[in-house]
Amino acid sequence: LPQISPPDLRSYSEKPQREGQKAPALQRIVADIIDRILPCPLVAYFFPPWILVVIGYGLLSDGLLEGCSVGKRLMGPRTVIVANDNPCNLARSFLRNVGWTVGQMCYMSLWLIPFAFAYDLVELMLVLFSPAGRRLGDWVAGTQVRGICGHI
């Protein structure tokens, strides 16, 4: 009897998933620090509506500037879609950063800080020690940070 294989459900425009060279960890860490400081989250303590700016930047920053948040643009890495090597778009940026943004919000409540710290620690370990350097948000969104973005 002939073997019957399941149909390939990928879009014809997608290339097979592959992971490229991950961005250097130091570049990613410094870019992350810049992206955490840039929207000035402490302003929200004095002007609560500012939290919308912080959340918006956190969720959408990797979908702007051709897959480069401001921190990534300054440091060199770029977020790309693994399936086709295109720069991260706004929808993928939202998926990729929702956990990171919720974690950042947890730092605003004293009793949630340990959970936020634990999440950040897991993300850091994945960036440092997984072969592709993909954190949880990258797996959810199908993205990877690679060292290919030009400096400003």
Side-chain angles (χ1 to χ4, degrees), residues 35-107:
D35 287 331
R36 287 175 188 241
I37 294 171
L38 184 70
C40 300
L42 292 177
V43 171
Y45 282 110
F46 308 105
F47 183 65
W50 188 258
I51 198 67
L52 298 174
V53 172
V54 176
I55 291 170
Y57 181 80
L59 291 173
L60 303 176
S61 60
D62 288 324
L64 306 170
L65 302 173
E66 298 277 320
C68 297
S69 64
V70 173
K72 287 183 184 71
R73 177 68 66 164
L74 291 171
M75 295 309 301
R78 169 182 282 166
T79 306
V80 298
I81 300 168
V82 173
N84 57 21
D85 292 331
N86 287 335
C88 184
N89 56 37
L90 290 175
R92 300 265 182 150
S93 178
F94 182 90
L95 287 173
R96 178 178 193 275
N97 292 318
V98 76
W100 182 85
T101 303
V102 169
Q104 293 301 92
M105 302 301 298
C106 289
Y107 280 112

Side-chain angles (χ1 to χ4, degrees), residues 108-131:
M108 297 183 76
S109 176
L110 191 58
W111 65 275
L112 291 176
I113 289 175
F115 298 104
F117 183 76
Y119 179 81
D120 282 345
L121 190 58
V122 168
E123 295 264 280
L124 179 62
M125 293 300 111
L126 287 171
V127 167
L128 293 175
F129 300 114
S130 70

